[in-house]
Amino acid sequence: MATENRSAAAEFILGGLTHRPELQAPLFLLFLGIYVITMVGNVGMITLIGLSRQLHTPMYFFLSNLSFVDLCYSSVITPKMLVNFVSNRNVISYVGCMSQLYFFLVFVIAECYMLTVMAYDRYVAICHPLLYNIIMSHTLCCLLVALVYTMGLIGSTIETGLMLNLHYCEVFISHYFCDILPLMKLSCSSTYDVEMAVFFLAGFNIIVTGLIVLVSYAFILSSILHISSTEGRAKAFSTCSSHFVAVGMFYGSTAFMYLKPSTASSLAQENVASVFYTTVIPMLNPLIYSLRNKEVKVALHKTLGRNLI
């Protein structure tokens, strides 16, 4: 079947974000700037956490892995998108398309579970502070991160395998990268089984992890409200607010893309949602976690050899 697929569609044509020639150069510069900020921010966060001993805690261990995931899945999408802005024909091979889909799914699924693990870490820190160092041991942290990447690999392998079984008669993808929903529209064979499988897998990855995050934050909020001092409540809330903002942005945009009927939104709306979670969120995450985090600011100043005023 794989051979048959490749003979039917040796390559695909990506529709891109716009068909207006006068917008290609401005969009290229815009997304190049976003990608550079994404690279610098996430590599900088990983490097800072690695160099600063005061950041060698479970929270920052998970944050460095979140930065790695953001760096990877942005790099799967953005470089090809930038090339397409300056190319006359936006072509991607069948193998390249399926490879892009596979690695994108690995890291976007891993992001779901990494945010869930980070919510659990904050739950233990706020609700069980005396047991935090015992519960969140180095061994458990490593196991949780290994589980995150394992879930990404398993989910991506299943979903990409389903897409490989489809027979593609059309080659024009109405999107700027190879994603599941646009690819299914090109199939001339029945996609019902694949659509149901993808819907349930996406539902499990998004809804189950999202519920775990919500339950964790319900307990966190309850614990914060029981703190007697205003200063204590403010400090506890500040450690969670950045993560809550990141969770809201990621789950909101991915749920809009994958947990709705295929006819429920326009192509322009889908492109905006996709751009948000594939390029904007990976850029914003290191900014969100650093600008609102005093420990990161202090570590940065020390690493740069300056005194915090």
Side-chain angles (χ1 to χ4, degrees):
M1 177 63 74
T3 303
E4 190 178 328
N5 282 344
R6 279 189 282 271
S7 65
E11 62 184 23
F12 295 104
I13 300 173
L14 294 168
L17 286 176
T18 180
H19 298 295
R20 298 172 62 182
E22 69 273 14
L23 294 179
Q24 300 293 334
L27 286 174
F28 171 81
L29 294 174
L30 172 64
F31 284 101
L32 177 62
I34 289 174
Y35 186 58
V36 169
I37 295 172
T38 300
M39 294 289 289
V40 172
N42 286 291
V43 171
M45 183 67 75
I46 294 169
T47 304
L48 180 64
I49 292 171
L51 293 177
S52 304
R53 292 185 62 85
Q54 65 265 39
L55 299 183
H56 291 179
T57 64
M59 174 182 170
Y60 293 105
F61 175 66
F62 296 136
L63 181 54
S64 66
N65 278 277
L66 179 69
S67 292
F68 174 74
V69 170
D70 283 337
L71 188 69
C72 288
Y73 88 76
S74 178
S75 296
V76 170
I77 304 299
T78 309
K80 177 61 179 172
M81 180 172 64
L82 292 174
V83 170
N84 289 345
F85 282 131
V86 295
S87 300
N88 293 325
R89 191 163 176 260
N90 304 336
V91 175
I92 186 169
S93 68
Y94 177 87
V95 173
C97 185
M98 292 302 160
S99 298
Q100 185 185 60
L101 174 65
Y102 178 80
F103 287 108
F104 167 70
L105 289 174
V106 167
F107 294 114
V108 80
I109 294 171
E111 177 112 346
C112 285
Y113 287 93
M114 190 65 71
L115 291 171
T116 306
V117 166
M118 292 175 72
Y120 174 71
D121 172 71
R122 292 299 82 204
Y123 160 74
V124 176
I126 300 297
C127 299
H128 305 285
L130 298 179
L131 299 174
Y132 179 73
N133 290 328
I134 298 173
I135 296 174
M136 301 305 295
S137 65
H138 180 70
T139 300
L140 179 62
C141 291
C142 290
L143 287 174
L144 288 173
V145 169
L147 178 63
V148 164
Y149 292 119
T150 300
M151 293 303 293
L153 289 168
I154 292 173
S156 179
T157 300
I158 294 172
E159 295 188 29
T160 306
L162 292 170
M163 300 306 295
L164 286 168
N165 285 326
L166 293 179
H167 185 74
Y168 301 99
C169 298
E170 299 181 39
V171 297
F172 184 80
I173 301 174
S174 300
H175 207 35
Y176 63 94
F177 73 98
C178 294
D179 200 1
I180 290 176
L181 300 180
L183 276 171
M184 280 198 292
K185 295 176 183 178
L186 308 183
S187 176
C188 51
S189 55
S190 173
T191 62
Y192 179 78
D193 291 339
V194 177
E195 202 167 339
M196 287 299 100
V198 168
F199 180 79
F200 283 114
L201 284 169
F204 180 84
N205 290 327
I206 296 173
I207 293 176
V208 172
T209 58
L211 285 174
I212 294 173
V213 170
L214 288 175
V215 170
S216 297
Y217 271 95
F219 283 110
I220 288 170
L221 182 60
S222 176
S223 295
I224 290 176
L225 292 176
H226 283 87
I227 297 175
S228 56
S229 68
T230 303
E231 183 181 351
R233 284 198 299 270
K235 184 178 180 181
F237 183 76
S238 67
T239 64
C240 301
S241 58
S242 298
H243 182 250
F244 194 72
V245 170
V247 165
M249 292 192 305
F250 179 79
Y251 279 95
S253 55
T254 52
F256 176 82
M257 277 298 298
Y258 298 107
L259 299 182
K260 62 172 180 55
S262 58
T263 58
S265 62
S266 67
L267 177 62
Q269 290 174 323
E270 292 181 357
N271 279 342
V272 169
S274 293
V275 165
F276 195 71
Y277 76 83
T278 59
T279 59
V280 177
I281 288 179
M283 176 191 69
L284 291 179
N285 275 347
L287 299 177
I288 291 170
Y289 283 104
S290 60
L291 294 177
R292 294 181 58 85
N293 193 310
K294 185 178 179 180
E295 289 180 326
V296 171
K297 292 179 182 178
V298 170
L300 180 60
H301 280 244
K302 288 184 177 179
T303 303
L304 295 176
R306 298 183 301 192
N307 293 323
L308 183 64
I309 299 176

